[in-house]
């Protein structure tokens, strides 16, 4: 039996860059070829040149890459810079009065902050942090709605050298407590509440409950007044944001920060249940954030950029709080559900704010696609010039809808592969240069040594043979360690191939053109009769059916095959009465067999109104496995967008 993952999905469509896009692009083919050549011949020098040209240094570096204690790599270690200064101060002279953040709330309230406004807000709050005893190296947890003040808080921490850790505002009090305790946070920054789906989410109460459960290190809780809901304020610990900044000076000198000083910790779920605090550096992280914004999004001074991710996720760090700010572009922020008051909200926001570059998740695209074409067709989306996807592989049919209906067949789609751990884009097309294939993230960016290897770590040269996705050389924005647990860092990300390659945890294949196709997580593989199939490809085949909007596939025990395939499907129309349609089930099973072969046919299909997802759009496959195997759903479900969907999936509603 082959240990490699088999590819069963075939996609032949190719979309060449238009002449107009190619002509206007920041990077031309000759530029890209030169970049690849430089990175190949002098890997460290390639990144050193970029670090000198793209970042403002308080102290120039002389060391570039220190790999003497690999896999604990260090970049530009003897240099010093301040992330907040790079994101804000350097724009004040030329762009001080330019909008940096254009905000809209779910109820229609708006606010615009220029770079000068952002500078003032960040400095005021940085001084408020210092007044409460927060110093360089202290950890500060941020637990806020998706509002500009969350970005101000992140930037304020960066300005004084405090290490921030943003916890997604939808996480439970228990999850928040675990993260506060793991990093031993000195302060927490929150809001009274946030608005989503027409309801106030009581954020401050989550903090109170977390601390009541035991958080001995927290001495101060800052509370921003946002939703106006009633909250309890603990004397001596809690302070209103507006009162904390009232008497502070509007200038705060950016601290001199060593390049390898931790900028932030971002916790991801671990297989053991204990969250992993991914630690990112200051200079290396910012460098990749800046160059990928320029390369992948082709950002220009007149762009209006909108990344829909919450700052509680890494996408909201790199492509909301830091990258676009450092590039000096105007960006849109929205607090609320994407379908309030209806499915046209996202497209009206895009129209009304003149968005030119739009970046969102495939799950959001599929959900909006399910609502039909009338909503986007009723809006003027003509200012859009680049579309992006992030978070998981996008199935080809959703890609085509995005390209045709939203982009009007004129906007290139940058399908980006990267992770919390990588800090920034790793594999992505470049607009105006890279021919596009629906469902492929195309090729690694310059300086990123990605490959697909077999069990022994050898490059797989035969096209379309699945294997392990690895990175063979260090890159500046890579995670430095897991906070407080360096052994877990080594065991998680460098466990194979003699610790020489970073193991991404994804399976992938390369086609005959060298394009990468992500096949899903290594553990999202179904072993059917000795054939190891990536679940993503089966899901893509299902979504290619005209009646299917979304699909998720998991493995179930099978007496003959070892494992069988169980599919959960969301239709474009209504869910069948009683939750089952035998005729449609048979049709979809045969459809999958026709699309990718009999081996991939599901054993059964269950229909649902939606899939169990977090508010970031991530499908919680662990829960689907429990449902498919008839087990009780175990574990924390507090982060689900719609917890009631579990009852429906189990056939109880």
């Amino acid at each position: 039996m082959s240990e490699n993952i088999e590819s069963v999905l075939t996609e032949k469509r190719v979309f060449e860059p238009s002449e107009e896009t190619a002509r206007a692009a920041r990077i031309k083919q000759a530029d890209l070829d030169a970049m690849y050549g430089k990175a190949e011949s002098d890997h460290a020098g390639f990144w050193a040149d970029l670090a000198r040209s793209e970042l403002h240094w308080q102290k120039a570096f002389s060391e570039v890459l220190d790999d003497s204690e690999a896999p604990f790599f260090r970049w530009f270690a003897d240099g010093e810079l301040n992330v907040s200064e790079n994101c804000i101060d350097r724009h004040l002279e030329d762009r001080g009065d330019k909008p940096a953040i254009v905000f809209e709330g779910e109820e229609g309230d708006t606010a615009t902050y220029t770079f000068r406004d952002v500078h003032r807000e960040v400095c005021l709050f940085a001084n408020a942090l210092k007044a409460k005893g927060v110093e360089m190296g202290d950890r500060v947890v941020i637990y806020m709605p998706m509002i500009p003040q969350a970005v101000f808080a992140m930037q304020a921490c960066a300005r004084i050298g405090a290490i921030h850790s943003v916890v997604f505002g939808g996480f439970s009090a228990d999850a928040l407590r675990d993260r506060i305790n793991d990093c031993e946070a000195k302060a927490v920054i929150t809001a009274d509440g946030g608005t989503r789906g027409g309801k106030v989410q009581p954020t401050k109460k989550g903090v109170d409950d977390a601390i009541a459960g035991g958080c001995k290190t927290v001495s101060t809780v800052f509370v921003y007044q946002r939703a106006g809901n009633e909250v309890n304020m603990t004397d001596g610990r809690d302070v209103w944001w507006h009162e904390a900044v009232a008497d502070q000076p509007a200038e705060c000198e950016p601290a001199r920060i060593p390049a390898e000083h931790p900028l932030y910790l971002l916790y991801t779920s671990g297989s053991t249940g204990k969250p992993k605090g991914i630690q990112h550096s200051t200079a290396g992280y910012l460098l990749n954030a800046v160059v990928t914004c320029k390369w992948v999004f082709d950002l220009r001074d007149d762009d209006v950029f909108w990344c829909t991710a919450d700052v509680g996720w890494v996408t909201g760090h790199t492509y909301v709080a830091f990258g676009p700010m450092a590039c000096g572009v105007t960006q849109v922020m929205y607090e609320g559900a994407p379908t309030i008051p209806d499915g046209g909200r996202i497209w009206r926001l895009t129209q009304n704010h003149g968005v030119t570059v739009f970046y969102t998740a495939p799950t959001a695209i599929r959900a909006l696609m399910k609502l039909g074409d009338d909503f986007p067709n009723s809006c003027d989306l003509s200012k859009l010039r680049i579309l992006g996807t992030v978070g998981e592989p996008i199935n080809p049919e959703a890609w085509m809808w995005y390209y045709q209906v939203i982009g009007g067949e004129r906007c290139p789609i940058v399908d980006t592969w990267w992770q919390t751990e990588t800090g920034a884009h790793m594999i992505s097309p470049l607009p105006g240069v890279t021919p596009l294939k629906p469902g492929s993230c195309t090729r690694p960016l310059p300086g990123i040594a990605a490959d697909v290897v077999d069990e022994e770590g050898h490059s797989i040269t035969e096209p379309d043979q699945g294997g392990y996705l690895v990175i063979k050389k260090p890159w500046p924005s890579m995670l430095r360690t897991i906070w407080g647990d360096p052994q877990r860092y080594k065991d998680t990300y460098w466990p194979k191939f003699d610790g020489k390659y970073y193991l991404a945890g994804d399976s992938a294949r390369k086609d005959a053109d060298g394009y990468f196709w992500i096949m899903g997580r290594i553990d999202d593989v179904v072993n059917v009769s000795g054939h190891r199939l990536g679940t993503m490809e089966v899901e893509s085949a299902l979504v290619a059916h005209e009646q299917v909007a979304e699909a998720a596939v998991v493995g179930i025990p099978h007496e003959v095959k070892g494992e069988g395939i169980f599919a959960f499907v969301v239709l474009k129309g209504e869910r069948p009465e009683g939750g089952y349609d035998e005729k449609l089930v048979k049709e979809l099973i045969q459809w999958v067999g026709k699309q990718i072969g009999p081996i991939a046919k599901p054993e059964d299909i269950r229909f649902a109104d939606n899939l169990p997802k977090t508010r970031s759009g991530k499908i919680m496959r662990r829960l689907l496995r429990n449902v498919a195997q008839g087990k009780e759903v175990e574990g924390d479900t507090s982060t689900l967008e719609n917890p009631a969907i579990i009852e429906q999936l189990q056939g109880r509603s």
Side-chain angles (χ1 to χ4, degrees), residues 110 132 142 233 241 283 297 339 392 558 610 618 624:
T110 61
K132 288 293 183 179
I142 300 171
M233 298 291 284
W241 177 304
F297 297 128
T339 54
E392 63 180 55
H558 191 284
N610 51 62
K618 181 179 180 181
L624 292 178

Side-chain angles (χ1 to χ4, degrees), residues 139-143 167 171-181 184-191 202-223 232-239:
R139 277 76 66 204
V140 176
V141 164
I142 300 171
Y143 184 70
V167 177
F171 274 177
S172 67
D174 287 348
L176 175 62
R177 183 192 65 239
D178 290 345
R179 287 154 174 77
I180 290 172
N181 286 337
E184 299 179 305
K186 190 172 190 175
V188 176
I189 306 167
T190 190
T203 320
K204 172 60 162 62
K205 184 179 185 305
V207 175
D208 291 341
D209 291 347
I211 294 177
C215 295
K216 297 179 180 179
T217 59
V218 176
S219 59
T220 306
V221 175
F222 297 90
V223 186
N232 293 319
M233 298 291 284
T234 300
D235 289 341
R237 186 195 73 189
D238 298 351
V239 57

